[in-house]
Amino acid sequence: MRIGLVSDTHLAPGGRAVGENCRAVRAWVARAGVDLTVHLGDVTAEGAAHAEHFAAAQDAFRDWPTPMRLLPGNHDVGDNHDIARSALEPAVDEGRLERWRDVFGGDRWRLSAGDWTVLGLDAQLLGWGSAAEAAQDAWLQAELDAAQGPIALFLHKPLFRNAPEDDERHLRYVPPAPRRRLLERFAEKDLRLVVCGHTHQLRRRRFQGCEHVWAPSCAFVIPDSMQETIGEKTVGVMLLTLSADSYSLDFIAPEGVGRHNLLDQMDIYPQLATRIGSQA
Ligand SMILES: [Fe+2]
Ligand SMILES: [Fe+2]
């Protein structure tokens, strides 16, 4: 199975550059002959605060060339409860999750690809302590109990920065306690690959037999004045090919995808005029 990995489109009504890049990604998906497109979250610029941003995303993805599975990001359903900061960057809640489900279906999903099990998880629920998080936990456990063979996990936020033992709490990563619980549940399983979005950087690191990949945004990078460089600040998509017992993964900069800068996106983030920007 060939999967086109798209992340952080940050779509909104009137978003010129992000819209153009999304159309260029659509053309690449059609050309590349992929079987499936996975969106790793931050579909919208500010859907968590402005419901109309979902309409822009629906327009952009209408008649998409392949089936599509999407995962919510902090800009879509709100941020993790211990890190949410403001009215424009609120915490995830039931109403926001409902809005996501109404538009895009589930916020978690499983696919089979040959011997592979592919799991999509809602990172924004982690650490909430809610019924929604408990339901996702129960679902995940059932999926893991049934899974045979290699597993690929997709979620919006990276699990950690430097190593699975990290204790740093930063909005860039999954909270440490639920991350530890999550990894313990995979300990007896053949977890090969974890792919996230959120950082708007490309990075590939391997820990304990598993590759952790930060997929870049296909919309814009976040400048050094707002976010440190950890991986590579680039813009594009990734192509994942799952074979019988292996995978290949490549970064691609599709024709027509511009390497835009967040600071130039005032048509979707007018608050940038006063530099109260969103960081990842
Ligand atoms: Fe993002
Ligand atoms: Fe994000």
Side-chain angles (χ1 to χ4, degrees), residues 8-10 41-42 74-75 156 197-200 217 220 222 269 280:
D8 294 270
T9 42
H10 288 255
D42 285 354
N74 48 304
H75 285 269
H156 181 59
H198 185 57
T199 67
H200 296 230
S217 166
F220 53 80
I222 301 170
Y269 293 119

Side-chain angles (χ1 to χ4, degrees), residues 7-8 10 40-44 72-76 79 124 156-158 171-172 197-200 222 278-280:
S7 195
D8 294 270
H10 288 255
L40 294 160
D42 285 354
V43 175
T44 64
N74 48 304
H75 285 269
D76 305 315
D79 215 337
Q124 302 315 118
H156 181 59
K157 288 191 174 186
L171 56 88
R172 194 178 297 126
H198 185 57
T199 67
H200 296 230
I222 301 170
S278 174
Q279 301 179 44

Side-chain angles (χ1 to χ4, degrees), residues 263-276:
L263 291 181
D264 298 326
Q265 310 312 311
M266 281 187 222
D267 50 7
I268 56 173
Y269 293 119
Q271 66 269 34
L272 286 170
T274 50
R275 290 292 300 273
I276 308 171

